[in-house]
């Protein structure tokens, strides 16, 4: 299959916000998770969860405000516990090392629209389009990645049918919100790719 049709690449550089903790075990391999904080040009901070194999832990720099560079892939899974977000996004680390450079947050994806795009207007009056991309990976599995397109890109994406393949270049951002369940407000955090460029392929 054409490599361009299955692109899924994340490059992050930032500060380790908390020490790595055990996440899960799969096929006899233990995985750990830590939040990585990156700054936008506006100064706002995004906190992205990075998952890595246990044998990669010695490569993590230690100490307060330690910086790290991570190259990997976006992964999604459905949280069926009933607690927290339903769709959870993480970055699966393939390589990592010291974060000697400035903060980075670069995402490159190619996938198919799997749900009808939704065009809407933010409270600040900006037009955006929400779209879910199905990004294929090995063993006939897919990751489902929420993407936000802005302005002219939003109108282009809003008019595309389900099944259209899109290439996306952007950043992975976090967003805090409150969900009311049985009258009780609960803080939540959503993750999505904010598209700087998005086009059919």
């Amino acid at each position: 299959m054409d490599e361009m049709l299955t692109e899924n690449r994340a490059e992050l550089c930032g500060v380790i916000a908390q020490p790595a903790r055990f996440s899960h075990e799969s096929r006899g391999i233990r995985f750990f998770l830590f939040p990585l904080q990156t700054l936008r040009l506006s100064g706002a901070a995004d906190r992205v969860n990075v998952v890595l194999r246990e044998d990669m832990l010695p490569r993590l720099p230690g100490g307060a405000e330690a910086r790290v560079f991570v190259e990997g892939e976006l992964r999604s899974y459905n949280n069926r516990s009933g607690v927290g977000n339903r769709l959870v996004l993480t970055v699966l680390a393939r390589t990592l090392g010291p974060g000697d450079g400035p903060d980075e947050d670069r995402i490159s994806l190619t996938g198919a629209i799997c749900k009808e795009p939704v065009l809407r207007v933010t409270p600040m009056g900006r037009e955006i389009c929400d779209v879910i991309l199905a990004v294929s990976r090995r063993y006939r599995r897919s990751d489902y990645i929420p993407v936000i397109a802005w302005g002219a890109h939003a109108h282009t994406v809003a008019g595309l049918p389900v099944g259209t393949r899109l290439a996306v270049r952007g950043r992975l951002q976090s967003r805090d919100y409150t969900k009311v369940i049985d009258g009780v407000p609960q803080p939540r955090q959503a993750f999505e790719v904010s598209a700087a460029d998005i086009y059919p392929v």
Side-chain angles (χ1 to χ4, degrees), residues 54-76:
E54 185 173 25
D55 63 357
M56 298 175 73
L57 286 175
R59 300 183 218 167
L60 277 181
E65 301 293 308
R67 294 181 59 79
V68 66
F69 174 80
V70 176
E71 185 275 325
E73 302 171 3
L74 278 181
R75 290 286 185 259
S76 70

Side-chain angles (χ1 to χ4, degrees), residues 68-191:
V68 66
F69 174 80
V70 176
E71 185 275 325
E73 302 171 3
L74 278 181
R75 290 286 185 259
S76 70
Y77 70 91
N78 284 316
N79 177 9
R80 295 185 174 89
S81 70
V83 179
N85 300 335
R86 184 175 175 187
L87 181 68
V88 179
L89 291 187
T90 61
V91 172
L92 176 64
R94 296 298 187 190
T95 62
L96 57 84
D100 298 326
D103 283 16
E104 293 181 26
D105 183 341
R106 291 196 296 264
I107 304 295
S108 300
L109 298 172
T110 307
I113 299 175
C114 62
K115 190 176 180 182
E116 186 173 346
V118 177
L119 184 67
R120 60 189 174 90
V121 179
T122 71
M124 300 295 291
R126 295 189 67 185
E127 290 186 312
I128 65 174
C129 184
D130 298 301
V131 60
I132 305 289
L133 283 193
V135 180
S136 299
R137 56 168 141 140
R138 289 183 297 178
Y139 310 117
R140 297 186 177 182
R141 298 189 64 184
S142 294
D143 293 289
Y144 297 92
I145 312 296
V147 176
I148 291 181
W150 303 82
H153 287 311
H155 281 273
T156 298
V157 173
L160 297 175
V162 171
T164 302
R165 298 194 66 84
L166 296 176
V168 177
R169 305 291 179 267
R171 64 177 291 117
L172 179 59
Q173 63 185 28
S174 57
R175 174 172 50 85
D176 295 325
Y177 68 100
T178 300
K179 184 171 184 177
V180 178
I181 300 177
D182 296 329
V184 179
Q186 297 184 9
R188 297 288 176 88
Q189 190 175 49
F191 297 91

